[in-house]
Amino acid sequence: MSKATIDLPPKGGFSFDLCRRNDMLSKKGARPPSYRKTGTTIVGIIFQDGVILGADTRATEGPIVCDKNCEKIHYMAPNIYCCGAGTAADTEAVTDMVSSQLQLHRYDTGRESRVVTALTFLKRHLFNYQGHVQAALVLGGVDFTGPHLHTIYPHGSTDTLPFATMGSGSLAAMSVFESKYREGLTKDEGINLVSEAICAGIFNDLGSGSNVDICVITKGHKEYLRNHLLPNANVYALKREYTFPKKTEVLLTKITPLREKVEIIEGGDAMEE
Amino acid sequence: MSIFEYNGSALIAMVGKNCFAIASDRRLGVQLQTIATDFQKIYKVHDKLFLGLSGLATDAQTLYQRLVFRHKLYQLREERDMKPETFANLVSSILYEKRFGPYFCQPVIAGLGDEDKPFICTMDSIGAKELAKDFVVAGTASESLYGACESMFKPDMEPEELFETISQALLSSVDRDCLSGWGGHVYVVTSTEIRERILKGRMD
């Protein structure tokens, strides 16, 4: 029987079968592509009642902004959220995967997920791939042991902190936290501090930009403020729109009408015997 | 030379009022030599879902064949067509599976979802989805395409106006790119019909 190369749905995990071909192509001078990065400023703080996470919304592909309003605060569990910086595909895939693992774990244990559980799943996965999965994460949540905030680096090391920043804009944001953070902030003070830190990243770091997203997690409650601040609204757009009086030249037009849905008529003729 | 510049391509998808348009150029080249001027880059997955693939042509064709296979399996099991959001997730997983040895393709997905709401999305070559509400672009001409679409796009355009806008954006951008062009191929899809048009452009 010849080797069957049926493309069955894969069992999961990475597949390395194109690596040899891609290596051969790069030796011939074809540069591999650059992946979409999230440039980014992501931050988190612990305040009086829980955790506040913040992120900017710019996604870059090399020097070009490919998404002006992407979402960097990912859902992990009803009480846990995670911000991601680094290669966009990696942060999305890793947070999605661990979110599903946490759901299965919740079914197994019958309890609310703990932040350290999410932390361990993430760090084990990232360490396993020795930093090749380039995801730098800020993980925050509130479980029955209290509020927790962690940072996870691409190689798998983690830190537990009262305030944290990651991404290319982390230095700009950290300068705001180091001067203005104190313990026992109220919710509004916390949101303002996080917004200020993200704005510092947006305006001073080239890899971060657009709007500010905030997520406030407290015991038993979460508030996801998508586009909480829009400091870069497009107010300079032309009021006069582009119109094209001279039509584009068309060589060929093919119209395919889509099938109408079948109408069911009640009380039609009974079938003949 | 980047691997994406081996064949050359330009793709746009735009959202209109209860309709969408997806357009591509028609050139297939081997670096600077043009070998075909009628190469198909946009494929129909089902009546209300189109997939455009830019980048290395061989990977685009292989990826399209794998995706059509998976969609047909889905149709057999579920007895219905895949929703665009589901299809985008499928493409993203298939691309991410090859994270460390990727397909050199950038897909552009456009479809009509529930209640004929238009959906467009693009990804990089390892499956990082970008869902946009206005337009998405891909290909060697992407930088010009971003600029052209950013200025020409208006929300809620009717199908005819959407066709004009996407065609003008495509043709003006590929005119500034050596590796794409030689005409255009535009599909404008509403809930009742698919209009496929071939554009006359500069053949250089």
Side-chain angles (χ1 to χ4, degrees):
Chain A
M1 190 69 132
S2 61
K3 258 192 274 190
T5 44
I6 306 166
D7 192 335
L8 291 166
K11 289 201 175 69
F14 293 121
S15 138
F16 297 93
D17 55 358
L18 290 179
C19 284
R20 190 178 286 171
R21 175 202 77 156
N22 291 358
D23 248 347
M24 180 272 290
L25 284 170
S26 30
K27 284 199 181 75
K28 289 207 170 159
R31 278 192 339 257
S34 67
Y35 303 133
R36 189 163 296 153
K37 296 223 180 280
T38 55
T40 305
T41 309
I42 47 173
V43 305
I45 60 164
I46 295 192
F47 73 109
Q48 189 177 301
D49 307 318
V51 168
I52 303 181
L53 298 172
D56 75 304
T57 61
R58 173 183 283 183
T60 53
E61 201 157 12
I64 305 290
V65 175
C66 55
D67 194 349
K68 291 184 282 187
N69 205 3
C70 69
E71 278 187 37
K72 299 185 191 180
I73 306 186
H74 306 282
Y75 168 87
M76 298 285 266
N79 57 326
I80 307 174
Y81 273 74
C82 185
C83 306
T87 301
D90 287 332
T91 57
E92 275 177 36
V94 133
T95 48
D96 251 352
M97 184 193 75
V98 172
S99 168
S100 308
Q101 273 185 296
L102 282 173
Q103 176 76 316
L104 288 170
H105 192 76
R106 277 201 293 284
Y107 283 133
D108 258 341
T109 56
R111 287 172 173 68
E112 187 189 58
S113 297
R114 298 193 199 188
V115 184
V116 286
T117 316
L119 180 72
T120 310
F121 281 138
L122 286 165
K123 74 188 313 190
R124 291 245 172 96
H125 180 82
L126 291 174
F127 181 74
N128 202 12
Y129 287 97
Q130 289 292 295
H132 289 285
V133 174
Q134 281 150 18
L137 309 164
V138 169
L139 176 72
V142 179
D143 53 36
F144 92 102
T145 51
H148 296 275
L149 180 68
H150 303 280
T151 52
I152 307 159
Y153 289 82
H155 286 262
S157 61
T158 57
D159 284 314
T160 308
L161 299 161
F163 56 92
T165 67
M166 291 286 257
S168 53
S170 61
L171 272 64
M174 189 51 98
S175 63
V176 172
F177 280 164
E178 286 288 2
S179 18
K180 297 189 182 173
Y181 179 83
R182 55 185 170 76
E183 285 189 25
L185 288 165
T186 63
K187 179 173 151 187
D188 287 325
E189 287 173 342
I191 291 180
N192 285 335
L193 181 62
V194 166
S195 304
E196 226 186 301
I198 300 285
C199 284
I202 287 174
F203 293 118
N204 298 97
D205 174 44
L206 300 178
S208 317
S210 296
N211 315 314
V212 179
D213 282 351
I214 306 253
C215 186
V216 183
I217 310 170
T218 52
K219 190 156 180 63
H221 181 67
K222 62 163 189 279
E223 227 179 302
Y224 186 57
L225 304 165
R226 170 89 170 127
N227 290 357
H228 171 70
L229 271 184
L230 292 110
N232 293 302
N234 182 344
V235 292
Y236 50 80
L238 259 186
K239 292 284 177 283
R240 177 176 54 85
E241 294 161 342
Y242 274 94
T243 48
F244 303 106
K246 194 165 177 215
K247 301 272 171 217
T248 322
E249 274 194 70
V250 176
L251 293 172
L252 172 72
T253 308
K254 187 170 134 194
I255 304 173
T256 314
L258 293 180
R259 275 172 307 159
E260 296 281 325
K261 284 205 172 67
V262 174
E263 295 258 342
I264 304 171
I265 309 164
E266 294 294 312
D269 290 339
M271 270 171 55
E272 308 257 15
E273 283 298 306
Chain B
M1 179 216 52
S2 159
I3 192 65
F4 280 105
E5 289 163 15
Y6 189 73
N7 293 125
S9 50
L11 277 172
I12 319 181
M14 269 195 195
V15 163
K17 192 166 182 175
N18 299 324
C19 63
F20 68 85
I22 182 167
S24 75
D25 73 314
R26 307 188 76 209
R27 178 183 179 269
L28 174 70
V30 169
Q31 292 183 297
L32 293 178
Q33 184 188 34
T34 305
I35 52 178
T37 57
D38 57 358
F39 188 65
Q40 187 190 14
K41 294 173 195 172
I42 300 178
Y43 302 97
K44 188 176 88 157
V45 178
H46 64 76
D47 277 343
K48 292 185 180 176
L49 179 58
F50 282 74
L51 169 72
L53 287 165
S54 71
L56 196 62
T58 171
D59 278 352
Q61 289 184 332
T62 306
L63 191 59
Y64 162 67
Q65 287 165 8
R66 281 188 70 180
L67 289 167
V68 145
F69 167 72
R70 294 294 298 270
H71 181 251
K72 284 187 177 168
L73 268 183
Y74 184 93
Q75 275 181 321
L76 287 170
R77 288 190 183 126
E78 301 254 335
E79 293 182 1
R80 63 180 177 91
D81 290 328
M82 236 191 219
K83 286 193 208 157
E85 294 86 356
T86 316
F87 187 72
N89 250 311
L90 174 68
V91 180
S92 181
S93 323
I94 286 182
L95 290 173
Y96 192 71
E97 197 198 348
K98 302 252 183 283
R99 163 70 172 89
F100 298 116
Y103 285 118
F104 296 122
C105 282
Q106 268 187 302
V108 165
I109 296 161
L112 290 174
D114 284 333
E115 277 136 50
D116 293 331
K117 186 161 180 288
F119 169 88
I120 52 172
C121 147
T122 184
M123 293 166 211
D124 70 353
S125 55
I126 47 173
K129 273 194 305 241
E130 183 207 321
L131 309 163
K133 296 194 170 61
D134 40 16
F135 58 86
V136 292
V137 302
T140 47
S142 62
E143 294 180 22
S144 310
L145 284 165
Y146 274 123
C149 291
E150 192 75 52
S151 27
M152 295 184 194
F153 179 80
K154 288 193 301 261
D156 285 331
M157 283 186 277
E158 294 294 328
E160 283 309 310
E161 203 190 347
L162 183 66
F163 164 70
E164 276 305 318
T165 309
I166 201 176
S167 309
Q168 290 287 339
L170 179 73
L171 291 175
S172 48
S173 306
V174 302
D175 283 350
R176 282 286 184 176
D177 178 32
C178 313
L179 299 166
S180 41
W182 271 267
H185 206 144
V186 186
Y187 290 83
V188 181
V189 181
T190 61
S191 54
T192 50
E193 63 172 16
I194 302 171
R195 257 180 215 255
E196 180 189 338
R197 280 181 267 231
I198 301 199
L199 305 175
K200 179 172 167 184
R202 285 174 64 139
M203 306 297 271
D204 63 355

